[in-house]
Amino acid sequence: MKTRYQILLLVLCFGLLPACRSNVNGQTPDAGVICKRALALPVDQGISLMERAMGRYAGADVEKMDKFQLNFTMAYLYQKQAAQLPGTKMEALERSKQYYSAALEVDPGNVAVLTNLVFVNQAMDNKEMAQELLSQLIKVDSANKAKYYARKGDLSAAVEKYDEAIGFYKRAFFGSTGNEALAWKIFDVCTRFTDKQHAWQVLNAFSNQLFEKGFYDLARTGFLNTLDLALTLGENEQATEACVRWAEALSFKPNVSENYAKDLPEPNVWTSTCNQEIQRLLTKAASTGEMGWWTSDVYRSHIVATLLYRMEATELIAGNVSIAVKLLEMGLQIAPEFYVYDHPKLKNYYPIKMDIAVELSRLYNRYPEMDLDNSKYDEMIRRLFNEKSAHYLQNNLEAIQKSHTMLGLIFADRGIWTSDWYAGNAVFQLKSAIRFQKQIESANPEKFKPIPAIYQLLAEGYAKTNQPDLVPNTLLEAAAGYLDLDNLSMADSLIKKAGSSGNHSPKLTEKLGELNLITKMRLDIRNDTYNFKSSDVEQLEKTIAGSKVFTMPVAAGDQSFLNRQKFKILADLGARCSENNPNYQYPSFEIKALNYISDEKALGNFQDISRLNQIEGKFQSNLDRGSSVQINQVKSLSEPKEESRTWQLNTGSYQGQVEVNPDLFIASQVYEDLKSENAAEQLDDVKQIQIRQGDVIIPKKLQENEQIDPQRLQQLNGVKNVRISNELQQK
């Protein structure tokens, strides 16, 4: 049976050799036939055949491709011999190394050769040389840098350089799609430190990074490990901190059961109040008064209230309505009020009280036996109104808006559209929620948040209260929100409903037409109405640029909305052309999409992040792949770091920031500038240009072949320096 090492060598040879060939010009069939025959023979016979061939080619004027192929094949055969015949291992590896080095002289930076040299040096225990080779691979094959960083981590861990290993593993983990195996390697390496206090610090820092990047399950594992380390060190304060963070990570699970209590140390083993209270909470054995330590701090109160809300979901799925109601009633008492969410540790969160109150009212309404005389509901409403009054006294606009939203949702669920008291109905509360949201966005555009469901409910309320003239415009506001959320079907339905409801003012007719055009164009893109396969891409570009969506005048207050919609339209057009049309090489639609979104402060929803990722992919040859689209939690509600590079995302209960490498916008401008300079020619080699933190690096040969004016590029927004390089950029 072949060893895993031998199989890997076979994959490298047969899988990568064709790729190697593509990097060198010229090819002699005889050399290719000889190499293929040698690889098919037993290793010793293959080496003998190759030695005769190498002798025949010695001193001859050999084509580069032949020279490369002969050296690569000979190197591989000796590498294979080293694996098969341990007695000659070191000698064979040395010969393999010599031939790979000769191949590298022919084709410097060849990925296949460098990769095999890493394995050869590892087998020879030349770990430092293997590290150097991996560093070269990171430079020449940046698209796979995460893989090479992981290998560097393995090499460092093997020689007990644990901090260095963890640094490499982190680069690999956060630079890839989050390969969980790498996180577990870091957990494992942390157990090898002799200095356990240092191990705690390293593991705690990594667990926090995992949490901030949204890897909540892995973060929970990390915090459990830090908790165990802290208890080993006798550090109760550190153990308590880890327990709180573990609970915070757990609160992101959609459903939480009592089984999670088993993750923590037994209460009689770790007797801290923190541990005992959270275990009683998870096992549904605690009452509000028994959560004194956890509820003495608003940050911890938010965590346990959220856990109760997640536990309620589990019980409701199981059909345990009475238990679900009790959990929510407890959560409502514990949940912090809206105004405390300016606490430094709560800025990332949406008030959990809103979810709890709306869900509890819904259960009271659906299951009358849970509140036979409505006394629980009446008491809840009284408390929520008192809290709203406090928010008004504090002039906290965001807290006021959330209070109105919560009460509006509760009243709408119960069908309370009118009331003797002006504020005791859904119409008043929903109108107020919308009014305050507009005030917030007017002062802080980055706090834009689509709220189409609120508008939709308000339209229903207007219809129920005999105010038909107010319905069409409210439906259109809801449709606009659904367009921001990419729910095209719902937007289309509401637009049609608004169009068929009564007489329209000129302003309403204009708005109806605008939304109808946008929705139709977006549906046409989704349904492939456009001929994306046509070879005439420029004609499609002209069709879009001349369409009514892109030529209509902008109504007052609609500029940001239109910019977001045009960004979506153009990004989606680029994606569809890329999928269907091989002639679509120059990213025209993507460049225009970036132009529309560059000055905005907020995005509509998570699909816009996917669009940014897709656009960035068009410029991946120009950019450092270590800097991709990032989704960050909002640590503070400050201004974005760079106006055109960072957007806030507020959708549902999520608040965060989307950050893009500023070089992406520079790359887009460079492409646009070069296209205008070379209008009559196809710019095939523009991918050779590199952008690194504002520096634009242009290969000398590209400048000679294309019309490139460095002084013009220097004037582009964000460009720090333009330089001409004599070196071809490695791909």
Side-chain angles (χ1 to χ4, degrees):
M1 181 180 292
K2 291 184 174 67
T3 64
R4 184 178 179 184
Y5 179 61
Q6 288 173 304
I7 293 171
L8 180 57
L9 291 179
L10 286 171
V11 171
L12 285 171
C13 183
F14 291 108
L16 293 178
L17 189 54
C20 299
R21 294 175 180 171
S22 66
N23 292 333
V24 186
N25 294 322
Q27 182 173 358
T28 301
D30 288 346
V33 170
I34 291 168
C35 291
K36 186 175 181 180
R37 187 181 303 160
L39 290 169
L41 293 171
V43 67
D44 288 342
Q45 295 178 33
I47 289 173
S48 296
L49 175 60
M50 289 301 300
E51 284 176 344
R52 292 194 298 272
M54 297 289 277
R56 182 162 38 128
Y57 279 95
D61 186 14
V62 182
E63 291 282 345
K64 288 178 68 178
M65 182 64 227
D66 290 340
K67 187 176 181 181
F68 174 85
Q69 192 170 353
L70 291 166
N71 281 293
F72 184 91
T73 304
M74 184 65 98
Y76 169 74
L77 287 170
Y78 275 114
Q79 189 179 5
K80 184 178 178 182
Q81 184 186 64
Q84 291 181 355
L85 303 172
T88 62
K89 175 181 176 181
M90 295 308 293
E91 180 183 351
L93 287 171
E94 186 61 43
R95 297 295 298 277
S96 178
K97 181 178 176 182
Q98 291 172 5
Y99 281 111
Y100 277 136
S101 298
L104 205 59
E105 289 178 9
V106 180
D107 189 9
N110 185 282
V111 172
V113 177
L114 288 169
T115 301
N116 281 16
L117 272 172
V118 170
F119 285 108
V120 169
N121 279 279
Q122 278 186 266
M124 298 175 73
D125 206 31
N126 296 334
K127 292 184 173 64
E128 289 186 9
M129 179 56 69
Q131 288 280 26
E132 290 181 20
L133 290 164
L134 285 166
S135 296
Q136 291 182 52
L137 278 164
I138 289 169
K139 291 179 181 178
V140 301
D141 188 23
S142 60
N144 292 305
K145 65 169 58 178
K147 176 177 66 177
Y148 304 129
Y149 276 126
R151 290 183 186 173
K152 287 174 78 71
D154 290 340
L155 288 171
S156 296
V159 294
E160 300 183 359
K161 294 181 179 180
Y162 297 134
D163 283 306
E164 184 178 86
I166 288 172
F168 288 134
Y169 285 143
K170 281 186 178 181
R171 289 187 182 188
F173 179 83
F174 292 115
S176 67
T177 55
N179 183 346
E180 289 194 12
L182 293 168
W184 285 96
K185 283 188 175 185
I186 294 174
F187 295 151
D188 175 65
V189 169
C190 285
T191 65
R192 305 186 206 175
F193 284 109
T194 54
D195 183 346
K196 297 304 178 186
Q197 184 61 49
H198 179 64
W200 186 92
Q201 293 170 348
V202 171
L203 186 55
N204 187 57
F206 179 55
S207 301
N208 281 310
Q209 283 180 289
L210 288 169
F211 184 90
E212 289 169 5
K213 296 296 183 181
F215 298 102
Y216 300 117
D217 287 338
L218 286 172
R220 198 171 71 250
T221 298
F223 290 130
L224 277 178
N225 290 339
T226 60
L227 194 161
D228 290 339
L229 269 174
L231 292 178
T232 300
L233 291 164
E235 296 286 352
N236 189 65
E237 186 174 337
Q238 291 179 343
T240 299
E241 177 187 340
C243 183
V244 172
R245 296 310 308 280
W246 171 85
E248 186 176 12
L250 179 61
S251 72
F252 281 86
K253 298 288 289 184
N255 307 99
V256 173
S257 70
E258 63 184 47
N259 289 330
Y260 287 103
K262 298 173 184 176
D263 291 348
L264 298 171
E266 291 290 338
N268 59 345
V269 174
W270 183 35
T271 59
S272 76
T273 305
C274 166
N275 185 38
Q276 291 177 339
E277 286 187 2
I278 196 67
Q279 294 228 32
R280 286 183 60 77
L281 179 88
L282 290 170
T283 56
K284 302 184 289 293
S287 63
T288 306
E290 293 176 310
M291 296 298 296
W293 184 84
W294 279 90
T295 57
S296 63
D297 172 88
V298 292
Y299 161 62
R300 296 195 297 265
S301 293
H302 169 84
I303 293 171
V304 293
T306 305
L307 286 173
L308 286 164
Y309 181 66
R310 307 300 188 199
M311 292 164 64
E312 178 268 345
T314 301
E315 296 301 327
L316 202 59
I317 291 171
N320 301 323
V321 177
S322 60
I323 296 176
V325 167
K326 289 178 180 177
L327 291 169
L328 289 178
E329 289 172 345
M330 184 177 174
L332 190 64
Q333 295 181 56
I334 290 173
E337 294 187 30
F338 297 155
Y339 67 86
V340 305
Y341 279 79
D342 59 358
H343 186 283
K345 291 184 178 180
L346 292 180
K347 282 191 178 290
N348 297 324
Y349 293 111
Y350 201 74
I352 192 61
K353 176 170 279 188
M354 179 180 293
D355 291 327
I356 291 174
V358 172
E359 176 68 359
L360 183 56
S361 173
R362 188 183 74 85
L363 292 185
Y364 285 154
N365 196 26
R366 301 294 187 277
Y367 302 96
E369 66 273 17
M370 296 291 105
D371 184 25
L372 289 172
D373 58 358
N374 277 339
S375 60
K376 291 181 178 181
Y377 168 80
D378 292 341
E379 174 60 20
M380 181 180 73
I381 294 298
R382 185 190 66 79
R383 286 181 56 193
L384 296 180
F385 266 102
N386 286 341
E387 290 171 9
K388 181 166 68 70
S389 298
H391 300 154
Y392 268 95
L393 291 173
Q394 296 159 346
N395 197 31
N396 188 320
L397 297 188
E398 292 189 51
I400 294 170
Q401 194 276 338
K402 290 178 176 66
S403 283
H404 282 300
T405 299
M406 176 176 57
L407 288 165
L409 293 175
I410 290 172
F411 288 143
D413 179 67
R414 290 185 166 239
I416 302 175
W417 302 106
T418 61
S419 60
D420 294 336
W421 180 41
Y422 75 96
N425 60 81
V427 170
F428 173 84
Q429 297 297 335
L430 295 171
K431 282 173 59 179
S432 299
I434 291 168
R435 175 165 55 88
F436 279 100
Q437 181 62 31
K438 286 182 176 179
Q439 287 184 34
I440 292 167
E441 292 174 10
S442 176
N444 303 279
E446 72 275 8
K447 294 184 180 180
F448 160 76
K449 179 178 181 178
I451 51 173
I454 303 300
Y455 280 105
Q456 197 173 358
L457 280 175
L458 181 57
E460 182 183 348
Y462 285 145
K464 297 278 188 181
T465 55
N466 198 28
Q467 301 180 73
D469 292 345
L470 299 177
V471 171
N473 186 64
T474 310
L475 287 174
L476 291 182
E477 292 287 355
Y482 282 120
L483 286 171
D484 272 315
L485 294 178
D486 291 314
N487 190 337
L488 303 185
S489 299
M490 181 62 78
D492 187 46
S493 173
L494 293 178
I495 291 168
K496 290 175 179 175
K497 188 175 181 180
S500 63
S501 55
N503 297 323
H504 301 146
S505 66
K507 185 176 180 180
L508 185 64
T509 300
E510 180 183 1
K511 187 172 184 177
L512 181 65
E514 175 185 296
L515 293 180
N516 196 46
L517 286 170
I518 292 170
T519 306
K520 184 181 185 305
M521 176 171 275
R522 294 190 62 189
L523 285 170
D524 284 346
I525 295 170
R526 189 179 73 179
N527 298 329
D528 283 340
T529 302
Y530 294 102
N531 185 9
F532 295 114
K533 297 181 181 180
S534 170
S535 60
D536 193 354
V537 177
E538 290 188 4
Q539 183 56 50
L540 177 60
E541 293 176 16
K542 291 177 182 177
T543 299
I544 298 302
S547 67
K548 291 184 179 180
V549 170
F550 284 84
T551 57
M552 68 173 131
V554 179
D558 279 357
Q559 184 65 66
S560 289
F561 169 73
L562 278 176
N563 284 344
R564 290 191 299 272
Q565 295 306 308
K566 290 175 182 178
F567 163 73
K568 292 172 186 287
I569 288 168
L570 292 166
D572 292 349
L573 280 166
R576 301 298 291 140
C577 284
S578 296
E579 292 170 8
N580 295 283
N581 195 336
N583 293 308
Y584 184 70
Q585 299 295 327
Y586 180 82
S588 177
F589 289 126
E590 287 84 353
I591 289 171
K592 292 180 175 65
L594 286 177
N595 290 340
Y596 278 110
I597 202 66
S598 63
D599 293 329
E600 294 306 315
K601 298 289 187 71
L603 297 177
N605 72 341
F606 283 100
Q607 280 186 247
D608 289 336
I609 300 173
S610 298
R611 292 183 174 98
L612 286 170
N613 274 310
Q614 170 261 320
I615 291 172
E616 186 190 52
K618 294 299 182 70
F619 298 93
Q620 61 183 354
S621 298
N622 308 103
L623 305 175
D624 182 353
R625 293 297 293 162
S627 302
S628 57
V629 179
Q630 300 288 325
I631 308 173
N632 304 315
Q633 289 187 320
V634 180
K635 294 302 179 188
S636 64
L637 296 180
S638 59
E639 288 292 312
K641 288 184 290 185
E642 293 187 58
E643 218 171 273
S644 299
R645 311 298 179 261
T646 306
W647 302 270
Q648 193 136 330
L649 180 63
N650 308 292
T651 178
S653 61
Y654 180 84
Q655 298 180 87
Q657 281 185 337
V658 180
E659 184 178 346
V660 170
N661 181 359
D663 288 340
L664 174 61
F665 287 83
I666 295 174
S668 171
Q669 293 176 82
V670 167
Y671 271 52
E672 202 164 22
D673 185 84
L674 293 184
K675 187 176 184 183
S676 66
E677 283 287 284
N678 299 268
E681 300 178 14
Q682 180 71 30
L683 294 174
D684 295 324
D685 299 322
V686 72
K687 291 182 178 180
Q688 293 180 18
I689 296 174
Q690 303 288 287
I691 297 99
R692 298 289 181 270
Q693 298 180 356
D695 288 343
V696 179
I697 307 162
I698 304 170
K700 185 176 179 61
K701 287 187 177 180
L702 179 64
Q703 187 197 23
E704 294 171 351
N705 295 335
E706 308 285 0
Q707 295 294 319
I708 297 179
D709 182 357
Q711 291 184 345
R712 276 174 59 98
L713 297 181
Q714 186 70 61
Q715 304 306 311
L716 297 177
N717 186 36
V719 173
K720 297 176 183 177
N721 183 44
V722 179
R723 64 184 174 89
I724 308 301
S725 171
N726 289 320
E727 299 179 8
L728 274 175
Q729 301 303 321
Q730 295 287 348
K731 297 294 180 289

